[in-house]
Amino acid sequence: MIDLVSPDAAAAQDRAARAAAPLALYIHWPFCVSKCPYCDFNSHVRATVDEAAWHDALLADLAHEVALLPGRRLGSIFFGGGTPSLMPPATVAALIEAATRAWTPVGDVEITLEANPSSVEAARFADLAAAGVNRVSLGLQALDDEALRFLGRAHGVDEGLGAFAVAQRHFARVSFDLIYARPGQSLDAWDAELARALSFGTEHLSLYQLTIEPGTRFATEAAAGRLTIPDGDSAADLFELTRARTAAAGLPAYEISNHARAGAESRHNLAYWRYRDYAGIGPGAHGRRDHLATFRRKKPENWLAAVARNGHGLESEEPLDAPTRVGEALLMGLRLREGVDVAAIAAAGGMGVEQIVDLAAIAALPDLIVHEGERLRVTDAGMILLDAILPKVVR
């Protein structure tokens, strides 16, 4: 049992624990060749990009975070977007060098870059590997040409698998994404597509159910009645099949949508889900620093102007009080198969377990969420219902 301390002492202890853990760095490159109809990420299409200006601005934004997080150890770097495989490799190299010089690398720092699986971008893979990238996440999204056209992807299956083969030659670790629960997709069709994906032998897969996000073209289509995705029961069947097939192949789900062999999990994403500190730079990037939520300006031009004016792209820094930190830690950690140490989360907020979760509600849902000792975890059956479970159990 963890003894309760005063709120101020709990906050100080939590700050110290977070500062001792490895830091994660997120770098956002906002540009894409085209905007996918399902995407609600901060991505933008521009005819031209001043690459020299972006090189200097990203380094300046990084330097601002370095100054506020001195003496930290660095566990991971993640280049997200947008389409960061469109970044000049020299800019990627400069950012990696600056981060690993300013902060002490922990072992073999995981350095991930998201990439579109096109032949044009695959041609950059050798230079990106030379820049220091050691893990690539490929947005294959489907292994069916008709589905790729529906999803607005610029590549076809053959081109995507060609890029995947190139990635495997240049990077020690390669993951790829697929989107399922597409309109009209049957259980048998997804089973066959997933079996093909598993046959490639990669150690990590991100498998996402298609969701209709506000502000996207798919949201417009759905509102007009021109787009319908599988209903709850069908989606649940697809989810259960996904979990069964990946587990049988040795890539069990370690998070709702992420599957990996033991030891091949995304260390960077685990830092988010385990509620560690992370620095976020670039347009629209979020961060968690010393009990502050940091937000960068979202529009590329506004962010660039802010860096030129202020030396950083910050729009705001908002203090996170203990209840907010506790809530975030629970909402993130319960996405993981391992669950959370609910007693440690409560203590970090200067609270008792019964103040942050409803123990009676948890006891009433034994097939969906389990409280064992000091750990709280959602079962496999509960994961598909996570959005419904959390409001019932988290205070």
Side-chain angles (χ1 to χ4, degrees), residues 43-300:
S43 60
H44 304 265
V45 179
R46 296 290 186 267
T48 60
V49 175
D50 185 339
E51 293 181 346
W54 277 84
H55 174 282
D56 293 346
L58 284 166
L59 286 171
D61 210 17
L62 174 59
H64 181 79
E65 288 298 308
V66 165
L68 295 170
L69 290 162
R72 293 298 296 265
R73 298 183 302 142
L74 180 66
S76 64
I77 302 173
F78 194 102
F79 292 87
T83 308
S85 50
L86 296 174
M87 291 180 73
T91 299
V92 173
L95 288 162
I96 293 171
E97 195 277 332
T100 53
R101 183 181 67 247
W103 293 311
T104 303
V106 178
D108 57 335
V109 174
E110 178 188 85
I111 304 175
T112 302
L113 183 137
E114 292 180 331
N116 272 338
S118 73
S119 55
V120 172
E121 289 166 54
R124 296 172 176 245
F125 287 174
D127 290 337
L128 290 167
V133 175
N134 54 32
R135 181 177 182 273
V136 160
S137 178
L138 281 178
L140 285 179
Q141 311 304 16
L143 298 176
D144 177 271
D145 284 326
E146 183 178 350
L148 289 170
R149 286 190 292 271
F150 163 75
L151 293 169
R153 306 296 288 167
H155 67 277
V157 174
D158 289 345
E159 184 180 23
L161 293 180
F164 174 66
V166 174
Q168 288 190 307
R169 289 199 295 272
H170 290 293
F171 301 103
R173 301 172 65 198
V174 179
S175 176
F176 62 84
D177 300 355
L178 294 177
I179 295 174
Y180 69 101
R182 306 184 298 257
Q185 187 177 34
S186 70
L187 205 60
D188 287 344
W190 172 234
D191 195 10
E193 189 172 352
L194 182 56
R196 187 181 184 193
L198 290 167
S199 74
F200 300 144
T202 188
E203 294 187 331
H204 189 286
L205 290 174
S206 296
L207 306 171
Y208 302 106
Q209 290 202 357
L210 179 62
T211 54
I212 306 301
E213 302 295 344
T216 64
R217 182 155 62 84
F218 274 179
T220 302
E221 295 291 305
R226 295 189 294 267
L227 175 62
T228 303
I229 60 175
D231 61 20
D233 288 343
S234 297
D237 290 342
L238 290 162
F239 182 82
E240 291 172 4
L241 172 68
T242 302
R243 292 217 151 198
R245 291 288 185 265
T246 53
L251 279 76
Y254 67 98
E255 189 266 349
I256 292 177
S257 302
N258 286 274
H259 309 254
R261 298 192 190 283
E265 300 87 353
S266 168
R267 296 177 220 161
H268 184 86
N269 287 334
L270 281 174
Y272 296 156
W273 295 321
R274 290 172 175 166
Y275 204 55
R276 308 293 189 230
D277 275 357
Y278 62 97
I281 69 166
H286 293 191
R288 291 293 181 273
R289 175 191 353 109
D290 191 29
H291 291 183
L292 291 173
T294 66
F295 303 91
R296 255 59 184 180
R297 296 183 182 275
K298 192 171 182 180
K299 186 177 179 181

